[in-house]
Amino acid sequence: MGALGHYLETEGLATTQISLIYEHTAAIRPPRALWVPFELGRPLGVPNDPEFQKRVLKMTLDLLAESSGPVLASYPENAPEVSGPENAWVCPITLAPPPSEKVQDDLLSQVLSEIGELAPWYDLGQRRRGRTLYGVSGLTIDECARFLTSLTAADQPAGVTTVPVAVTAGHSFGETLKRASEDLFAWYTEAAAAQPGEAYPTRQALEDWFWGETAAGRLKLDLARHRTDHPDPLVRRVIERNLVPWTQIHRLETMN
């Protein structure tokens, strides 16, 4: 939609849009866009709340008052919570609390322990769905964890831009970082969603669980905080724009 907006504007038609993924819209730089912190697939919030939806639409249309852009505004409200089974989701297993910065050396072992506990649930979910979003990096889930953890080590020079060929699998360092990061999140959330019962988690519930309650989430936050000085511009861009979603960026400010 952002690219289409650029084309329509050249023809003299003012455009505005709603964005669900801040990072993508910031990269495309459409003429006018309103980013909303809602679940994917729900650009107006929750169903059956016309007053809330009208407020979202009004703020989107108000951007047309801007004579030129790019303009990327943020919607100031979270979507109302949906009552019923959807809000009853909990992770099917209880993981140990993520390690604090004082015991950061134990981070890899705790991530690998989480992977071991979640593996049966991931396998169950894949059998049920018949598909998975995990696998874009070409690495096993353990390799993803080891690769990302190696970049957070205190003795790892920020200028290191190469990793073994077996890890990069033909991709650049920055591409490998992005793909391994995406794979780790996809694997964890697909495993957590494969719980028994009728309740299915919202995207926000899965994100809050991953970033707030897992060592893997702590790993990615730690990487985002400590490796923004990397000399490779692609790596810096991945760390700054792709590693932590906009809805979870506040966690960087509260880390120990």
Side-chain angles (χ1 to χ4, degrees):
M1 291 301 298
L4 182 59
H6 283 296
Y7 173 78
L8 293 174
E9 294 266 341
T10 62
E11 298 296 316
L13 180 64
T15 64
T16 185
Q17 70 177 74
I18 293 175
S19 164
L20 285 163
I21 304 178
Y22 187 94
E23 295 85 354
H24 291 183
T25 307
I28 295 173
R29 295 169 60 85
R32 300 166 197 83
L34 176 67
W35 173 74
V36 294
F38 309 152
E39 184 179 353
L40 291 178
R42 291 183 171 177
L44 298 179
V46 298
N48 303 317
D49 192 338
E51 293 304 317
F52 184 86
Q53 294 170 352
K54 286 177 185 177
R55 293 198 297 274
V56 177
L57 283 173
K58 183 178 185 304
M59 188 167 179
T60 305
L61 295 173
D62 284 346
L63 294 179
L64 291 171
E66 301 287 344
S67 59
S68 62
V71 175
L72 178 52
S74 298
Y75 192 71
E77 298 180 74
N78 288 322
E81 292 187 358
V82 179
S83 60
E86 191 177 30
N87 269 357
W89 181 82
V90 293
C91 181
I93 63 173
T94 301
L95 301 174
S100 67
E101 193 171 35
K102 295 179 180 179
V103 290
Q104 191 67 23
D105 290 344
D106 191 47
L107 186 55
L108 175 59
S109 63
Q110 188 160 349
V111 174
L112 294 176
S113 176
E114 287 179 348
I115 289 172
E117 292 185 72
L118 288 168
W121 293 100
Y122 173 80
D123 293 340
L124 175 62
Q126 190 174 22
R127 288 197 301 270
R128 286 176 175 174
R129 290 186 299 269
R131 64 185 187 280
T132 180
L133 295 177
Y134 160 76
V136 296
S137 67
L139 307 177
T140 67
I141 189 61
D142 282 14
E143 287 173 336
C144 287
R146 293 180 186 280
F147 170 61
L148 295 174
T149 306
S150 71
L151 303 181
T152 67
D155 59 352
Q156 171 85 3
V160 172
T161 57
T162 60
V163 289
V165 174
V167 174
T168 60
H171 304 306
S172 71
F173 185 89
E175 289 172 328
T176 301
L177 172 59
K178 182 176 185 295
R179 293 172 186 235
S181 172
E182 291 173 348
D183 269 352
L184 189 70
F185 177 76
W187 192 93
Y188 262 71
T189 52
E190 288 182 16
Q195 63 159 356
E198 297 181 358
Y200 191 83
T202 64
R203 176 77 175 186
Q204 190 63 51
L206 286 171
E207 284 193 358
D208 288 342
W209 168 77
F210 178 84
W211 293 102
E213 300 182 35
T214 72
R218 175 68 190 231
L219 164 60
K220 292 182 65 172
L221 288 168
D222 193 67
L223 180 56
R225 185 173 59 157
H226 289 299
R227 288 305 176 199
T228 55
D229 58 345
H230 201 285
D232 186 328
L234 176 57
V235 173
R236 290 200 306 272
R237 188 159 60 248
V238 169
I239 292 173
E240 294 169 359
R241 298 183 182 179
N242 301 109
L243 211 60
V244 183
W246 186 256
T247 53
Q248 302 293 329
I249 205 73
H250 64 278
R251 298 185 186 276
L252 289 171
E253 302 172 359
T254 58
M255 290 180 67
N256 295 332

